[in-house]
Amino acid sequence: MNSSMEICMFYFGVLVLISNYFSLSSSTSLFNLTTDQYALTVLRNSIVSDPNAILHTNWSIHTPICGWIGVSCGTKHQRVTALDLSSFELQGTIPPHLGNLSFLRVLDISSNSFTGVLPSQLSKLRRLEVIDLGGNNFTGEIPSWFGALSQLRHMYLNNNSFSGRIPSSLFNLSRLQSLNMSFNILDGSIPNNICKCKELEVLQLQNNSFNGDIPSEIGSLSMLKALFLWKNQFKGRIPKQVWNLTSLRMLNLAYNQLTGRIPKQVGNLTSLIGLFLGHNHLTGMC
Ligand SMILES: *[C@@H]1O[C@H](CO)[C@@H](O)[C@H](O)[C@H]1NC(C)=O
Ligand SMILES: *[C@@H]1O[C@H](CO)[C@@H](O)[C@H](O)[C@H]1NC(C)=O
Ligand SMILES: *[C@@H]1O[C@H](CO)[C@@H](O)[C@H](O)[C@H]1NC(C)=O
Ligand SMILES: *[C@@H]1O[C@H](CO)[C@@H](O)[C@H](O)[C@H]1NC(C)=O
Ligand SMILES: *[C@@H]1O[C@H](CO)[C@@H](O)[C@H](O)[C@H]1NC(C)=O
Ligand SMILES: *[C@@H]1O[C@H](CO)[C@@H](O)[C@H](O)[C@H]1NC(C)=O
Ligand SMILES: *[C@@H]1O[C@H](CO)[C@@H](O)[C@H](O)[C@H]1NC(C)=O
Ligand SMILES: *[C@@H]1O[C@H](CO)[C@@H](O)[C@H](O)[C@H]1NC(C)=O
Ligand SMILES: *[C@@H]1O[C@H](CO)[C@@H](O)[C@H](O)[C@H]1NC(C)=O
Ligand SMILES: CC(=O)N[C@H]1CO[C@H](CO)[C@@H](O)[C@@H]1O
């Protein structure tokens, strides 16, 4: 072996060492990503289609997550407080890691093409106030753990493929102001503990397969401004307590199997700007 060959082998060895060092350090740097960065990176990697290359170009590991498009952070701890990926034309699933964004207050991924079931780890998002999953294609039942997200005020699950019944634990959410579950394939009746949601202003359950009576407990939701129950299979009489909801602006119960007379008290709903009761078996005034 001559000396030039020895030198060559020496450099080769150094090169192997250097490249090992780099691959090692890049994999260790993946492991010491902050929790939020890791969660968002896993989310990005769960996106199978991103036609505008929004996440794939902007969500670069080399820039801080708080500058990523759609990501907002708190000023104090630099933790992710809001994620708004509405209308990005994304296709994919929600990874369980999203449940690690423990400071999240707003999650809006509406109007995309997300599919699959909601991972139960989302129940860890105890600070969540707004969840908007509307206009996707989520499947499965509405999880009962939603009832544990005690800060939730606005919940939009509309226009998906959720099926099954509304879990009664959902109405543990005493701060809920809007609930939109319209345009799904839900059935069963409305749990009567809905009266626990004293702050409810908007209830939209239209275009599902709900059945049974409209619970009289709805009449105790004195803040209610909009009640949309149209295009379901509700039967029986409209509970008389409904005519006491003087904040109501929109009442749409059309396309059900409701019976009985429309009472004079309907005139007591002085805030009403829209009343739709057609396509039922009602008699009387309208
Ligand atoms: C990753 O680890 C290195 C070395 O221990 C450290 O200097 C760096 O601050 C860590 N980065 C993060 C984001 O925690
Ligand atoms: C990502 O988008 C944000 C907001 O539009 C922008 O400020 C930032 O510079 C972008 N980052 C990269 C790496 O493109
Ligand atoms: C975050 O969540 C995932 C899945 O739920 C878990 O495997 C991971 O270890 C969690 N923790 C951190 C610090 O990222
Ligand atoms: C449901 O979502 C699709 C896709 O985002 C949209 O085209 C459609 O208008 C939505 N329908 C309703 C009733 O919101
Ligand atoms: C939603 O998903 C279901 C089940 O995977 C599928 O049958 C349906 O066609 C999908 N709907 C849309 C609008 O993509
Ligand atoms: C809902 O509240 C009841 C008591 O009011 C409690 O027993 C139950 O565990 C709560 N459910 C959830 C999902 O938090
Ligand atoms: C509720 O969902 C329906 C159907 O997707 C949508 O048209 C409507 O705008 C939603 N209402 C609110 C208040 O978000
Ligand atoms: C409607 O409200 C009035 C006044 O608050 C109350 O006296 C009455 O009992 C209520 N009627 C029903 C059916 O709840
Ligand atoms: C309708 O309103 C009037 C005036 O507020 C009240 O006297 C009457 O009791 C109400 N009727 C019903 C059935 O609540
Ligand atoms: C139960 C029900 O009536 N579902 C309808 C909801 O609306 C879509 C169109 O947006 C119909 O295809 C469903 O039949």
Side-chain angles (χ1 to χ4, degrees):
M1 199 186 281
N2 65 31
S3 63
S4 73
M5 199 156 178
E6 269 175 51
I7 290 168
C8 182
M9 285 184 74
F10 171 77
Y11 279 118
F12 179 70
V14 169
L15 273 177
V16 167
L17 273 174
I18 288 173
S19 66
N20 275 346
Y21 173 78
F22 274 114
S23 61
L24 245 178
S25 68
S26 70
S27 60
T28 44
S29 75
L30 270 181
F31 285 110
N32 77 356
L33 286 174
T34 63
T35 305
D36 288 2
Q37 187 177 8
Y38 180 46
L40 293 180
T41 304
V42 176
L43 172 64
R44 185 193 58 192
N45 295 344
S46 310
I47 305 294
V48 294
S49 174
D50 176 12
N52 305 309
I54 292 170
L55 303 196
H56 285 97
T57 57
N58 189 274
W59 284 25
S60 160
I61 203 102
H62 305 295
T63 60
I65 53 170
C66 297
W68 288 3
I69 205 158
V71 177
S72 305
C73 297
T75 46
K76 212 166 158 193
H77 305 292
Q78 295 290 293
R79 297 291 307 271
V80 175
T81 54
L83 189 58
D84 178 1
L85 303 178
S86 179
S87 304
F88 281 5
E89 298 178 51
L90 305 173
Q91 261 178 49
T93 54
I94 299 298
H97 304 72
L98 221 58
N100 290 348
L101 297 175
S102 47
F103 280 72
L104 202 64
R105 285 191 278 108
V106 178
L107 175 61
D108 183 355
I109 56 167
S110 60
S111 304
N112 285 291
S113 300
F114 283 99
T115 55
V117 299
L118 300 176
S120 60
Q121 287 82 355
L122 297 185
S123 65
K124 298 191 293 175
L125 300 174
R126 295 302 166 99
R127 291 182 169 86
L128 209 57
E129 293 171 15
V130 180
I131 187 164
D132 193 344
L133 309 178
N136 283 287
N137 197 11
F138 287 110
T139 50
E141 301 204 342
I142 293 179
S144 59
W145 51 253
F146 267 127
L149 303 177
S150 62
Q151 304 300 307
L152 264 189
R153 290 164 197 272
H154 304 281
M155 183 169 186
Y156 305 101
L157 306 179
N158 51 289
N159 200 358
N160 276 285
S161 298
F162 287 111
S163 58
R165 296 163 159 266
I166 300 181
S168 62
S169 61
L170 192 77
F171 298 128
N172 270 18
L173 300 175
S174 58
R175 301 182 141 207
L176 208 57
Q177 291 173 8
S178 351
L179 179 59
N180 193 347
M181 295 186 167
S182 63
F183 289 83
N184 279 288
I185 40 182
L186 297 164
D187 57 27
S189 53
I190 303 177
N192 53 19
N193 64 341
I194 191 168
C195 55
K196 289 163 82 180
C197 299
K198 293 272 181 257
E199 297 180 16
L200 206 57
E201 293 181 7
V202 176
L203 179 61
Q204 300 195 253
L205 302 179
Q206 71 269 22
N207 193 266
N208 279 287
S209 296
F210 288 113
N211 51 55
D213 293 345
I214 298 174
S216 60
E217 286 79 1
I218 277 193
S220 66
L221 303 174
S222 60
M223 313 276 276
L224 210 56
K225 293 195 179 93
L227 179 59
F228 292 100
L229 303 180
W230 52 274
K231 210 147 193 272
N232 278 289
Q233 284 135 45
F234 288 112
K235 61 176 183 52
R237 292 165 179 271
I238 300 172
K240 57 185 187 301
Q241 290 84 351
V242 165
W243 310 115
N244 251 10
L245 292 171
T246 49
S247 301
L248 268 185
R249 296 168 59 77
M250 295 292 286
L251 178 61
N252 191 335
L253 309 178
Y255 293 97
N256 279 291
Q257 287 142 37
L258 298 167
T259 52
R261 270 183 77 80
I262 299 165
K264 286 197 181 62
Q265 292 97 299
V266 67
N268 276 19
L269 302 181
T270 50
S271 307
L272 218 51
I273 52 172
L275 175 66
F276 304 92
L277 301 175
H279 301 274
N280 279 293
H281 310 296
L282 297 165
T283 59
M285 308 240 325
C286 303

